[in-house]
Amino acid sequence: MFKIGDYIAHPMHGAGIIEGIVSKKINGAERDYYVLKLPVGDMVVMVPVEGCENIGVRNIISGAEAKKVIDSFSELDICMTQNWNKRYRENMDKLKSGNLLEVASVVKGLMCRDNERGLSTGERKMLHSAKQILISELVIAMNVNYEQIEKELYASI
């Protein structure tokens, strides 16, 4: 169980700090929720305490691990199918995995695709979400700002 002040990563929203734990009654059942404040966009997410490990909520990576992710970004293999539907599903599975290197490969693949031929609206939204997931955790782990990390990523593709 996490506590107030812990930094955690949610696989579909990114990393943030637990600002509180609240009880809410929804559909007749009372449950406890973590109030997760994300640094990017000042978003607040409520994550159920019970079963949060099943969703893939975890502690954020260390600063050294974050540095490794950034350093390996340029060498990440990107293999994207030409079929838009299949590519979208594969990328979504990588995002849901919670594995930061998988998320980084989605970011790199979509950034490269955007440079080469542009992105559809759906993939543009996915790139935005994937960057938020990746960069929010790197920002917290390395104690730097969003723009700095984003610049480093774009410079290494």
Side-chain angles (χ1 to χ4, degrees):
M1 184 167 178
F2 302 108
K3 60 187 182 312
I4 295 173
D6 284 351
Y7 289 100
I8 61 172
H10 188 287
M12 295 307 290
H13 297 292
I17 187 168
I18 297 176
E19 287 197 327
I21 301 173
V22 298
S23 290
K24 292 263 186 196
K25 192 171 190 173
I26 299 175
N27 294 336
E30 187 148 333
R31 289 178 146 179
D32 289 336
Y33 292 86
Y34 294 120
V35 178
L36 180 63
K37 175 107 167 69
L38 305 175
V40 181
D42 286 331
M43 190 163 84
V44 175
V45 177
M46 294 183 68
V47 182
V49 170
E50 186 180 310
C52 71
E53 289 85 19
N54 296 339
I55 308 170
V57 174
R58 59 175 173 72
N59 288 310
I60 65 162
I61 61 175
S62 69
E65 291 170 313
K67 183 80 174 116
K68 283 181 192 172
V69 170
I70 290 176
D71 291 344
S72 67
F73 191 75
S74 61
E75 277 95 46
L76 283 176
D77 264 348
I78 51 169
C79 180
M80 293 195 158
T81 181
Q82 292 301 311
N83 181 298
W84 182 90
N85 216 6
K86 187 175 181 195
R87 184 173 63 245
Y88 189 87
R89 280 195 313 273
E90 288 170 353
N91 284 339
M92 190 57 78
D93 288 342
K94 288 179 183 179
L95 293 180
K96 288 179 183 176
S97 76
N99 179 325
L100 216 52
L101 283 174
E102 292 285 313
V103 175
S105 75
V106 171
V107 171
K108 182 178 180 183
L110 291 174
M111 286 167 69
C112 289
R113 189 166 184 83
D114 191 24
N115 286 343
E116 291 169 9
R117 53 176 77 147
L119 296 174
S120 66
T121 304
E123 285 186 312
R124 190 169 310 287
K125 287 179 183 176
M126 180 179 277
L127 175 58
H128 177 75
S129 295
K131 279 185 0 187
Q132 180 173 323
I133 293 166
L134 175 64
I135 295 174
S136 68
E137 188 160 357
L138 297 175
V139 162
I140 293 171
M142 297 177 71
N143 197 25
V144 294
N145 67 36
Y146 186 96
E147 291 77 20
Q148 184 179 344
I149 297 285
E150 189 173 36
K151 231 184 250 187
E152 281 188 55
L153 295 179
Y154 274 103
S156 63
I157 58 168

